[in-house]
Amino acid sequence: MIFGYWDFHFIICFSLVFLTDAVPDELPQPENLTLSWSTKRFSVTTNWNKPSGLEADCTVLYEIHFYSEKCPPNAAAVEKWRVKNVNHWWYTDVNEVCVSITTIPDKCGNKTQSKSLLKDLSRPQGVVKDFTCVYYSDKKMNCTWTIISNASNLQLFYGTNPTNLKPCVSYNDTGSTRTGCYLHDEKFLEGDTFFIVNGTLKGLPIQSNFIRKISNFVKIMPPKIRITRNGTLLRFQSSPPGFNKHCWNYEYLYRKCDEDAKNLRGDDDWSASVDYDEACRYTVQVQATYNCGKGNSSMSLPEYYGENRDLNWSLKVTSIVIPIVVSCCLIVALVLIRRHKDYLFPKIPEPSAMFKDMFNGNKDKGLEDAKLYVPTEDMVEKKISLEPEITFLHIEP
Ligand SMILES: *[C@@H]1O[C@H](CO)[C@@H](O)[C@H](O)[C@H]1NC(C)=O
Ligand SMILES: *[C@@H]1O[C@H](CO)[C@@H](O)[C@H](O)[C@H]1NC(C)=O
Ligand SMILES: *[C@@H]1O[C@H](CO)[C@@H](O)[C@H](O)[C@H]1NC(C)=O
Ligand SMILES: *[C@@H]1O[C@H](CO)[C@@H](O)[C@H](O)[C@H]1NC(C)=O
C-alpha cells in the first residue's frame, strides 16, 4: 500500500514535470552572503557559505554579478566573475555596490543554476566629488575636486600601489580650501592610480576614494607647426610629443586658398607634405591624438604660408592695363613737353648776339665775379688768425 501511494505521487510529480517542462531541479542558493570594504576602501570583499543540502557528488561554481547601484539592480552588471571559492574581492571606487551570487552546476547531473542571492553595500559619506585628473606632460598631471562637506585639514594621497600612497606636495588652493594637486614623477600611465582625499568633519575622520586609469585622461598642449617649402612641395612639420612617442597620431587640417579644409595624417616623423600652389595661401592646423588610452591635444592655432594671388588677374594686368597706362603716360608726357617746350628746349641764341655779349659785357661780368669772391677769402683769413699761431702749427704736422 505504502509503496503504491508513493509510486502514485511520484508519477503525478513526474508527469507534472514532464507536462510543464519547467520545474527545474534547481541548485540551492549560497548562504550567509556578506560584503565589506577593505581598510583603505579601494576594494570590496564578498564572502558566502556553500549552500547546505548539496549532494555529495555535486560540484558547483558561483557566478558573481557586480552592479554599481543599490539592490535590486536596474542597469546591467559592471562586471561578472565565475569562481570556485566562496569569496571574492575587486577594486572599485563606486559609492553603491550591489552583488548577486548564483550557484551554478559544474558537475551536478541535470541540475540547473540557483536563484540569485542579492546584497548591497554603501560607501560612507565622502569629503569631495567630481575628482578629475589631466595628464598634461611627461610624468606630470593635476587633479581637481569639489568639496561636498565642510571638512577641514584636507589632504590628498596617491599612488599606483594602493597600500603605499604618497602625500601630495603641491596643492592648488581656492581661497582657504584645497581644490587640487599637481603630481609628478609617477608611472601614472601604466595602470590604475589610487587616490584618497581625507579630512576631519565634526572631529571625525572622513575620506573619499578614487581610482583612475590615467592613460584615459591625457590632454597635452597642441604641437607647434613649422611650414617650409621644399621644391614643389609644402611641408608641415610639427613638434614631436613629449612622452610615449609611439602612442600618438598627428592629424593635419589644411586649407588652400578658399577651398574646403582637408585632413592629412602625419607621418612617423610628425610631418606631412602637399603639392604647393604658389597662387594660394595655406592655412594649417594640427591635432595630436593619444592611442594608448584616451586623449589628445586641442587643435593648434593656424599657421599660414603664402598669399592668395589671382594669376589670371596678373595676366590681365600685363596684357591690358600696362599698355593703357603706358599710353596714358606718353600722352601726358607729350602734352607737358608741348606746354613747356620753351623751357625744355630754349631757343639757341643767334651767334651774332653771342658775340655782342662777349665784347660788350665781358668786363662787367669779370668785375662782378671778383667782388663776390673777396668776402669769402676774408672770412678764412680771420678764422685762422683767431687761433694761437704756435699751437696751431705744432699740431698740424
Ligand atoms: C549561516 O550562518 C548561520 C548563523 O551564523 C549559521 O548557523 C549557518 O550554519 C550558516 N550557514 C552555512 C551554510 O554555513
Ligand atoms: C539528465 O536528463 C536526461 C533526460 O532529460 C536523462 O536521460 C539523463 O539520464 C539525466 N542525467 C542525470 C545524470 O540525471
Ligand atoms: C589643471 O590645472 C589648471 C591650472 O591650475 C586648472 O585650471 C585646471 O582646471 C586643472 N584641471 C584639472 C582637471 O585638474
Ligand atoms: C588622512 O590620512 C593620513 C594617512 O592615512 C593620516 O595620516 C591623516 O591623519 C588623515 N587625515 C585626517 C584629517 O584624518
Side-chain angles (χ1 to χ4, degrees):
M1 271 305 280
I2 289 168
F3 280 118
Y5 179 76
W6 283 113
D7 281 353
F8 177 69
H9 267 83
F10 182 77
I11 286 161
I12 298 240
C13 277
F14 190 81
S15 41
L16 267 177
V17 167
F18 206 81
L19 280 173
T20 58
D21 196 16
V23 179
D25 204 353
E26 234 175 45
L27 283 168
Q29 282 180 313
E31 285 177 37
N32 299 348
L33 175 59
T34 62
L35 285 180
S36 60
W37 296 110
S38 61
T39 4
K40 286 192 171 163
R41 297 201 201 128
F42 284 120
S43 62
V44 167
T45 303
T46 174
N47 288 286
W48 61 93
N49 290 130
K50 190 176 168 180
S52 47
L54 265 191
E55 281 154 36
D57 60 346
C58 178
T59 58
V60 293
L61 297 174
Y62 304 96
E63 185 160 300
I64 308 160
H65 290 194
F66 155 48
Y67 305 87
S68 61
E69 58 187 316
K70 280 197 154 70
C71 293
N74 296 310
V78 177
E79 261 186 282
K80 297 175 185 180
W81 303 272
R82 266 186 189 193
V83 299
K84 245 191 161 88
N85 298 338
V86 289
N87 54 63
H88 191 64
W89 72 271
W90 63 97
Y91 287 121
T92 184
D93 63 357
V94 300
N95 289 328
E96 299 292 344
V97 174
C98 173
V99 162
S100 97
I101 309 253
T102 313
T103 316
I104 57 166
D106 180 23
K107 283 183 196 127
C108 205
N110 285 346
K111 298 264 194 211
T112 58
Q113 69 176 46
S114 73
K115 287 198 174 64
S116 305
L117 187 62
L118 293 173
K119 183 99 187 175
D120 53 20
L121 179 69
S122 297
R123 192 178 284 278
Q125 202 214 330
V127 65
V128 298
K129 62 171 184 177
D130 304 332
F131 188 89
T132 51
C133 297
V134 171
Y135 191 89
Y136 60 90
S137 175
D138 191 22
K139 297 183 187 116
K140 286 182 190 163
M141 68 173 177
N142 78 336
C143 298
T144 51
W145 54 78
T146 316
I147 305 236
I148 51 176
S149 63
N150 263 333
S152 52
N153 310 322
L154 279 195
Q155 273 185 289
L156 172 77
F157 296 86
Y158 68 99
T160 48
N161 175 358
T163 60
N164 182 19
L165 301 179
K166 293 194 224 172
C168 164
V169 288
S170 177
Y171 284 101
N172 196 340
D173 300 316
T174 308
S176 59
T177 44
R178 291 173 164 175
T179 54
C181 176
Y182 288 97
L183 310 169
H184 304 277
D185 299 317
E186 277 282 335
K187 294 180 175 179
F188 292 129
L189 293 178
E190 281 175 16
D192 284 331
T193 305
F194 299 83
F195 302 89
I196 290 180
V197 181
N198 72 354
T200 332
L201 184 64
K202 294 173 187 151
L204 294 170
I206 181 172
Q207 75 174 56
S208 289
N209 299 65
F210 304 99
I211 305 173
R212 294 287 181 269
K213 196 168 169 58
I214 299 301
S215 55
N216 290 337
F217 296 88
V218 174
K219 188 90 194 180
I220 58 162
M221 292 292 285
K224 293 202 165 42
I225 313 174
R226 208 161 49 87
I227 307 173
T228 49
R229 189 179 168 179
N230 192 354
T232 59
L233 294 177
L234 199 60
R235 183 181 155 92
F236 315 144
Q237 176 73 61
S238 286
S239 53
F243 56 92
N244 286 9
K245 291 196 164 48
H246 61 284
C247 292
W248 294 91
N249 280 340
Y250 277 31
E251 189 89 14
Y252 287 93
L253 186 71
Y254 76 98
R255 182 192 295 273
K256 169 186 161 189
C257 285
D258 294 326
E259 291 177 12
D260 288 339
K262 290 191 186 117
N263 281 66
L264 189 63
R265 188 72 169 298
D267 291 333
D268 291 344
D269 64 348
W270 327 113
S271 77
S273 296
V274 293
D275 287 329
Y276 181 50
D277 181 347
E278 287 186 37
C280 276
R281 171 161 132 134
Y282 286 74
T283 308
V284 186
Q285 288 171 280
V286 71
Q287 182 173 30
T289 310
Y290 189 66
N291 299 318
C292 307
K294 281 185 207 151
N296 56 25
S297 72
S298 44
M299 189 63 92
S300 73
L301 288 174
E303 283 289 323
Y304 304 98
Y305 192 91
E307 287 305 327
N308 284 338
R309 270 177 297 196
D310 188 344
L311 286 184
N312 290 336
W313 169 243
S314 58
L315 256 175
K316 275 179 220 155
V317 166
T318 44
S319 62
I320 300 167
V321 176
I322 289 179
I324 289 175
V325 168
V326 168
S327 341
C328 285
C329 288
L330 274 174
I331 290 163
V332 169
L334 281 174
V335 169
L336 285 174
I337 286 168
R338 246 185 104 85
R339 185 172 295 168
H340 299 284
K341 72 169 188 279
D342 291 351
Y343 180 77
L344 289 168
F345 308 108
K347 273 183 188 160
I348 298 161
E350 282 173 42
S352 53
M354 264 179 78
F355 285 118
K356 256 183 213 167
D357 269 9
M358 271 176 71
F359 293 118
N360 297 340
N362 208 13
K363 246 186 178 175
D364 291 340
K365 266 185 186 169
L367 278 168
E368 264 174 28
D369 283 350
K371 272 175 193 167
L372 279 168
Y373 218 80
V374 171
T376 35
E377 276 173 27
D378 270 352
M379 289 269 283
V380 172
E381 272 173 35
K382 267 181 192 166
K383 251 189 185 171
I384 291 166
S385 61
L386 274 170
E387 300 288 339
E389 258 181 21
I390 300 160
T391 330
F392 189 77
L393 283 170
H394 274 285
I395 287 164
E396 264 305 284

